[in-house]
Amino acid sequence: MKGVINPEVNLPDEKIAMAFFRSIRWVHGVYCPKCKSYDINNRGIQGRVRRYSCKECGNNFNDFSGTFFYKSKIPLGVMLYILFNMNIKTVKELVAETGYSRQCISRITKLFRDKLFDNPEFYHNEKEINNDIEKKM
């Protein structure tokens, strides 16, 4: 991991960040992203991710398969720090705190905005949620 320029910045520990990510990703248990089968083999850990193989279709995958973290070399703790702070800090502040380039931080914040905040499949504002609840009643 790159050295954090500001020693007062508390980045999440990588092991805790991975445990957090796995708890969200595999909330109903590990399943094959290709055929959706829960009949999988745990093939151990490679680097920071766990590897799996599907007994049904033979697909090999890991914790990040099918996500926008798949090819990222940036530690997950740094990614989570950026995600939780991107609306309250500027790109310049995040660059100074993490030690990554402006282009890198800009790319990550754009990715989070495009895939999460601006994507109605993943994000609904409180007003839309309340309207949905009222419709169901």
Side-chain angles (χ1 to χ4, degrees), residues 75-98:
L76 190 59
V78 173
M79 296 282 273
L80 291 177
Y81 182 80
I82 293 167
L83 173 65
F84 294 137
N85 289 286
M86 63 187 251
N87 288 330
I88 56 175
K89 295 185 179 189
T90 65
V91 169
K92 188 175 182 177
E93 290 173 319
L94 292 170
V95 166
E97 292 173 349
T98 62

Side-chain angles (χ1 to χ4, degrees), residues 38-90:
Y38 285 91
D39 194 12
I40 58 108
N41 281 328
N42 185 341
R43 297 179 49 225
I45 296 176
Q46 181 179 12
R48 62 183 177 166
V49 295
R50 289 190 183 137
R51 300 176 311 148
Y52 309 96
S53 62
C54 180
K55 292 179 184 176
E56 298 289 322
C57 70
N59 182 37
N60 293 311
F61 60 98
N62 65 40
D63 290 325
F64 291 151
S65 294
T67 71
F68 53 81
F69 298 109
Y70 184 67
K71 296 265 184 180
S72 177
K73 303 239 185 292
I74 298 172
L76 190 59
V78 173
M79 296 282 273
L80 291 177
Y81 182 80
I82 293 167
L83 173 65
F84 294 137
N85 289 286
M86 63 187 251
N87 288 330
I88 56 175
K89 295 185 179 189
T90 65

